[in-house]
Amino acid sequence: MTSWQGTPVAVNPDDTPIGDAYLTHEAVRAVLERQDNRCAGCSAVLDAGSTYFDLRLPVICGGPHTLGNLAALCPSCHRNHMRRIRKQFADHRNK
C-alpha cells in the first residue's frame, strides 16, 4: 500500500478491514480495549458520550481502512488531530 505521497505504508498483518461508514460494536470494543479505555493522544479516561474514533492516518492521505489504523480520542485530541490533518492536506494541495 502507498500513501498519498507515493511512499510505502506499513500495514500490520493482524489488521482487519473496518466498514466504510459505520463502526461495529466489536470494532469499538476492540479499539477501547487496546487503548485501555484511554485517549490515544493524551491518555485521559474516555467517556462513552464524547469519544471520537478517527483513523490515525486518514484514507485520503493513504492510510489503511483497518482496525490497526483506528484510534479513540477525547474531544480535545480529536480537534487537534483534525486540525493537523487539514493542515497536512492543505500543504499537500499547495505544492
Side-chain angles (χ1 to χ4, degrees), residues 17-74:
I18 56 176
D20 287 342
Y22 301 99
L23 294 176
T24 64
H25 293 292
E26 293 81 17
V28 168
R29 191 171 28 253
V31 172
L32 290 174
E33 284 177 11
R34 180 182 70 214
Q35 293 179 204
D36 199 26
N37 287 324
R38 296 198 171 268
C39 174
C42 67
S43 297
V45 176
L46 293 171
D47 179 287
S50 62
T51 299
Y52 291 85
F53 291 87
D54 290 333
L55 293 172
R56 291 178 177 139
L57 181 62
V59 173
I60 196 167
C61 296
H65 209 73
T66 62
L67 280 175
N69 191 31
L70 194 64
L73 299 169
C74 70

Side-chain angles (χ1 to χ4, degrees), residues 63-90:
H65 209 73
T66 62
L67 280 175
N69 191 31
L70 194 64
L73 299 169
C74 70
S76 177
C77 288
H78 168 71
R79 279 190 301 278
N80 291 336
H81 175 72
M82 294 309 296
R83 195 174 296 129
R84 281 191 306 272
I85 295 302
R86 280 194 223 69
K87 182 178 180 338
Q88 181 182 11
F89 190 66

